Amino acid sequence: MASRLAACEACRKSKVACDHKRPACTRCASNERAGICIYRTTPFKRKRAESATPSAQPSPSRVSPAQAPPLFARKNPYPNPGFLGSSSHVAIFNQISPETYHTSDNAHASEPDMATIMHSQVAGENLLMIQGADVLRQLLNTFPLAAMKDFVMFWLETGANMSLAEPFVEKCTENMTRLFTSFSQEDNWHLAYAQRLTQNSRMPLEIRTTADISDFSAQFLDQNFRWESLGIFLCAVSRATIAISFFPPLYKTEKDQFTLRKLSTSLSDLALDIALSLDCLNDLQLVLQYENFIIHTHVDGDQSFHSWSRLGNVVSSMFALGYHENVEKSKPPIPNFLAELRKTAWAITYSADKNVAIFLGRPPRMSKRFCHFQLPLNPPDSMISATNAWDRHTTWNEDTPFCYRAGIRWAALCSALKEDVLELLRDRQRENFNQKASAVREKAAVQWEKLPSKFKLSSTLKECSADAFKRDMLASIRLDQLHVIFLLHLSFIDSLTEPDPTIIDVSDQMLGLVIETILLRDQLVFSGTSVIWKIAHYGLPAAGIILLSMLKQSHTLTEARTSRSKTLMNLGIFVAQVQVGSMVRRGDPNYALISKATQTIERFLDSVHRDGAHIPAPPPSHPVENGEWDTFFSQDLCDFETVFWDNLADHPSLLASDHALPSI
């Protein structure tokens, strides 16, 4: 007698016949509802009556075993080792030929019970899945899915996107409404969807040499939708809430805006945690990891330990996947679109690692000594007449468009020079210090010269006639170039209290460009770095050097440097913009850093105006010999965070102002 088969949920609710095909029945597939063709795990089990009201929703902590999705055993109960290099034990044992030893039939007789091992491993994954299902239900019950899809599409229409996930954001967004077009009326519909997502996330992403990006994407869209796909969509929702302050279908108040951002970020975290718990590393998971890290820099702040640790996880996955090796020599060969994606992932992670390390004054995690330096958008070999690897990297195709990958390529080139400068800052007593510093300076000049002219900001940002995306990219490219020069000159300074005219000039240029991005932020579209990051990473160090030079009464101004009144005006604009709350407000993650710097700058400007536009001189009782100045600052020349501004605020020159500073 044939066993009885259950209909899928969609056919059962519609009370129509189902042919029971997997993963989607014929009726659902023909009606373009394959994404929601879900089969219940216990279709013929009678539900027990609940004492609670029918509308009550069980919390994930109280879900009974009958309600919870079943545990699915892994095909391989042991951890996925990932990439194993030439120094690993595997490389040694691979040299031992199988013919040199003999195995007996009883070799595995003493192994422990695999069912027990797999059950204990999957139990934690099941708990994560229930938590993810609960947040999924909360999000979709609070905010309409169709509106969230329109919200993300509206954000994409502005020209913005996510740097690494750009090829997949629109596809994942469109598939969301197909996946959730009709909800089951049962209390645990969210568990059924979570089960389906988990099943799909266990499937490896197959790579065929002849595949294109559409073939690759089909493995995680429609009925193959995964937690990674959902996570990318949710990252886009979170990013859109940061860029768009008013969207009536979803929110009209800051409270609702924050609620949507919090829920979408929480579910994105859970989607990533579930995917990682399955121990199935793949390209899509790495993309989600990076974009989730960027979300946390906005939600938790650039100084947050959570953001810092998530970047470390991205680096760990990068190494585990082996993408620090030459991806173009992968075996078997991979299609070109995937090679570009992996090179982009490496370049953007490498760049983020260097910039965050400099910003926080911490050691970088990635070193180009142990990586194959690879960049996206490499020109054809026929165009390159280079004598060394660096010449090949700095050669551009003149037809390179304004796109995220172009910005990533430039940022990685600058980050490589920043790594060299970090080594100079680490040990400046070496005999060949000047020679290495000159080599970095020459490389910086050459790579700027070889950059296509269309990527160079040749006028003020206001006078630039490019569109919003291009203008933001032009500003980011120029700031990265100035930052390399800034760090290089910083390496020559024995003390922060002795800035030379060259670094003051570079600081003026950096601060001026950051102020322009602040004033024109409504006319710029995110091209890789936010305005807040530009302020924290470029603007504050530049402002700190300028204040130090003025407090030191260093009047060695060059003709190339802007006038002192222009500099004072830029500092005043920065203070005013922070005070009115147009960039950062109390409670925002980066408020502490920016507000502390703002208070110090404001105190300095007050002292200048009070003394008749003269640079304030320290009181006679507080001499400013170098030894005295040095006590106010740490020995880390890259430290321009909160402690730097605390110390600067306590300088005697700024203590004369006894009136209370207005709250910011």
Side-chain angles (χ1 to χ4, degrees):
M1 175 173 152
S3 60
R4 186 179 170 196
L5 298 177
C8 71
E9 283 293 276
C11 292
R12 187 177 72 86
K13 290 295 182 181
S14 302
K15 296 182 179 180
V16 294
C18 178
D19 59 8
H20 317 293
K21 288 187 177 180
R22 306 287 182 114
C25 70
T26 303
R27 189 181 299 275
C28 288
S30 60
N31 293 333
E32 297 185 351
R33 300 172 64 186
I36 61 169
C37 185
I38 299 173
Y39 292 87
R40 290 186 296 169
T41 55
T42 55
F44 306 115
K45 186 177 182 67
R46 189 181 300 274
K47 293 180 61 176
R48 294 192 299 178
E50 300 288 343
S51 58
T53 58
S55 60
Q57 298 283 1
S59 66
S61 61
R62 293 180 291 178
V63 174
S64 67
Q67 295 171 324
L71 299 179
F72 290 94
R74 294 177 178 174
K75 294 181 179 179
N76 179 12
Y78 299 109
N80 172 18
F83 172 82
L84 295 172
S86 58
S87 63
S88 69
H89 69 284
V90 175
I92 299 174
F93 275 85
N94 282 343
Q95 303 303 314
I96 304 176
S97 173
E99 289 76 14
T100 61
Y101 60 90
H102 301 279
T103 58
S104 65
D105 295 337
N106 299 324
H108 305 288
S110 61
E111 289 189 359
D113 180 22
M114 288 295 102
T116 303
I117 295 177
M118 290 187 287
H119 188 278
S120 62
Q121 289 175 334
V122 179
E125 300 167 6
N126 203 56
L127 179 60
L128 277 173
M129 185 171 64
I130 295 173
Q131 293 174 344
D134 187 65
V135 179
L136 175 65
R137 179 184 60 181
Q138 184 181 0
L139 175 66
L140 297 183
N141 284 344
T142 306
F143 297 96
L145 178 60
M148 282 193 283
K149 174 192 172 183
D150 294 340
F151 181 48
V152 173
M153 299 303 290
F154 175 77
W155 177 64
L156 295 176
E157 285 296 323
T158 66
N161 209 317
M162 296 193 293
S163 301
L164 186 58
E166 178 189 14
F168 312 120
V169 175
E170 186 173 354
K171 297 176 181 178
C172 291
T173 301
E174 291 175 345
N175 269 256
M176 281 297 295
T177 49
R178 297 183 204 170
L179 185 69
F180 297 98
T181 49
S182 62
F183 296 145
S184 169
Q185 299 302 310
E186 295 184 0
D187 290 343
N188 295 320
W189 62 264
H190 56 300
L191 294 174
Y193 278 103
Q195 174 189 335
R196 179 64 175 273
L197 293 172
T198 303
Q199 286 177 318
N200 290 339
S201 293
R202 293 181 189 277
M203 302 300 295
L205 296 179
E206 298 179 357
I207 309 299
R208 299 192 307 274
T209 306
T210 58
D212 57 18
I213 193 168
S214 297
D215 299 328
F216 179 73
S217 302
Q219 298 182 78
F220 53 82
L221 298 176
D222 295 323
Q223 65 265 32
N224 297 319
F225 211 76
R226 307 159 66 102
W227 281 110
E228 298 97 315
S229 317
L230 178 64
I232 288 175
F233 167 74
L234 295 166
C235 284
V237 173
S238 296
R239 289 285 294 276
T241 62
I242 297 168
I244 301 172
S245 59
F246 186 73
F247 194 78
L250 290 176
Y251 55 82
K252 298 179 183 178
T253 65
E254 287 187 5
K255 181 180 179 181
D256 291 339
Q257 180 185 16
F258 177 76
T259 300
L260 176 57
R261 185 182 307 160
K262 181 180 179 181
L263 281 175
S264 56
T265 301
S266 297
L267 188 51
S268 170
D269 292 345
L270 283 167
L272 176 59
D273 290 342
I274 295 170
L276 290 172
S277 72
L278 301 178
D279 204 14
C280 302
L281 290 175
N282 58 63
D283 297 278
L284 193 66
Q285 189 180 109
L286 180 65
V287 169
L288 174 58
Q289 267 191 290
Y290 178 82
E291 298 298 353
N292 182 263
F293 150 68
I294 293 296
I295 287 298
H296 277 272
T297 63
H298 292 284
V299 173
D300 297 328
D302 293 302
Q303 300 181 94
S304 168
F305 173 76
H306 297 292
S307 303
W308 166 256
S309 61
R310 286 180 182 274
L311 176 58
N313 293 338
V314 177
V315 175
S316 297
S317 294
M318 179 72 61
F319 290 152
L321 285 165
Y323 295 167
H324 60 294
E325 299 290 329
N326 190 344
V327 299
E328 292 184 339
K329 293 185 178 181
S330 300
K331 294 182 181 180
I334 58 176
N336 181 66
F337 82 88
L338 192 57
E340 282 293 298
L341 177 65
R342 292 178 180 179
K343 288 190 288 185
T344 303
W346 183 90
I348 199 171
T349 305
Y350 175 81
S351 176
D353 175 66
K354 298 300 163 294
N355 286 312
V356 172
I358 292 170
F359 174 66
L360 297 176
R362 297 172 185 166
R365 295 178 172 102
M366 297 179 70
S367 172
K368 59 185 177 182
R369 293 184 180 183
F370 297 94
C371 298
H372 178 79
F373 196 87
Q374 48 198 341
L375 302 173
L377 300 180
N378 277 326
D381 293 337
S382 59
M383 291 182 54
I384 303 175
S385 57
T387 58
N388 55 59
W390 190 254
D391 287 341
R392 289 200 305 272
H393 295 319
T394 54
T395 300
W396 289 71
N397 187 341
E398 289 296 331
D399 296 332
T400 301
F402 278 88
C403 61
Y404 284 103
R405 292 188 179 183
I408 292 169
R409 180 183 178 88
W410 175 255
L413 286 169
C414 291
S415 295
L417 298 181
K418 292 176 187 180
E419 182 179 346
D420 294 336
V421 176
L422 283 176
E423 292 186 1
L424 291 174
L425 287 168
R426 184 70 177 172
D427 184 8
R428 297 187 297 163
Q429 303 302 321
R430 291 177 295 189
E431 296 179 358
N432 56 353
F433 175 84
N434 289 334
Q435 179 181 354
K436 290 190 174 184
S438 298
V440 174
R441 184 187 294 108
E442 182 179 351
K443 283 184 177 180
V446 169
Q447 76 176 27
W448 179 255
E449 180 182 354
K450 296 175 74 172
L451 180 71
S453 57
K454 64 182 178 183
F455 291 119
K456 299 178 183 178
L457 185 62
S458 57
S459 62
T460 65
L461 204 57
K462 181 180 179 180
E463 296 171 346
C464 180
S465 59
D467 60 40
F469 180 87
K470 293 179 181 178
R471 295 170 85 183
D472 188 69
M473 179 174 286
L474 288 171
S476 297
I477 289 174
R478 180 56 177 161
L479 284 172
D480 244 339
Q481 173 70 5
L482 290 172
H483 195 224
V484 172
I485 301 172
F486 175 87
L487 293 173
L488 185 60
H489 286 288
L490 200 64
S491 66
F492 282 95
I493 299 177
D494 294 327
S495 170
L496 281 175
T497 61
E498 295 288 344
D500 60 31
T502 307
I503 196 171
I504 296 172
D505 178 48
V506 175
S507 299
D508 267 334
Q509 296 181 55
M510 284 175 61
L511 179 62
L513 187 50
V514 169
I515 295 300
E516 279 197 276
T517 62
I518 293 173
L519 295 177
L520 300 175
R521 61 188 178 278
D522 292 335
Q523 303 175 35
L524 302 177
V525 167
F526 173 85
S527 67
T529 56
S530 65
V531 174
I532 294 296
W533 176 251
K534 290 181 175 71
I535 294 170
H537 192 53
Y538 306 113
L540 293 188
I545 289 294
I546 290 171
L547 259 65
L548 286 172
S549 68
M550 290 185 172
L551 287 171
K552 189 65 175 177
Q553 301 187 35
S554 176
H555 298 290
T556 56
L557 304 179
T558 62
E559 293 183 1
R561 184 186 170 194
T562 57
S563 66
R564 192 166 70 91
S565 60
K566 176 70 172 178
T567 302
L568 292 173
M569 184 180 69
N570 284 336
L571 292 174
I573 292 173
F574 176 77
V575 171
Q577 290 290 320
V578 173
Q579 285 183 340
V580 299
S582 62
M583 296 181 302
V584 63
R585 301 181 183 181
R586 188 179 298 276
D588 288 348
N590 286 302
Y591 176 81
L593 170 65
I594 294 180
S595 63
K596 174 58 67 175
T598 302
Q599 289 179 6
T600 304
I601 296 172
E602 182 187 13
R603 183 174 295 179
F604 169 80
L605 293 175
D606 286 346
S607 64
V608 170
H609 294 310
R610 184 182 62 251
D611 296 338
H614 292 289
I615 299 298
S621 59
H622 293 82
V624 290
E625 297 298 330
N626 287 345
E628 291 285 336
W629 274 71
D630 291 340
T631 61
F632 285 95
F633 304 99
S634 69
Q635 297 303 311
D636 188 354
L637 297 181
C638 287
D639 181 14
F640 287 95
E641 289 192 84
T642 305
V643 175
F644 170 86
W645 294 100
D646 281 334
N647 294 335
L648 186 58
D650 292 335
H651 191 273
S653 300
L654 303 181
L655 296 178
S657 176
D658 54 2
H659 65 279
L661 291 174
S663 60
I664 299 175

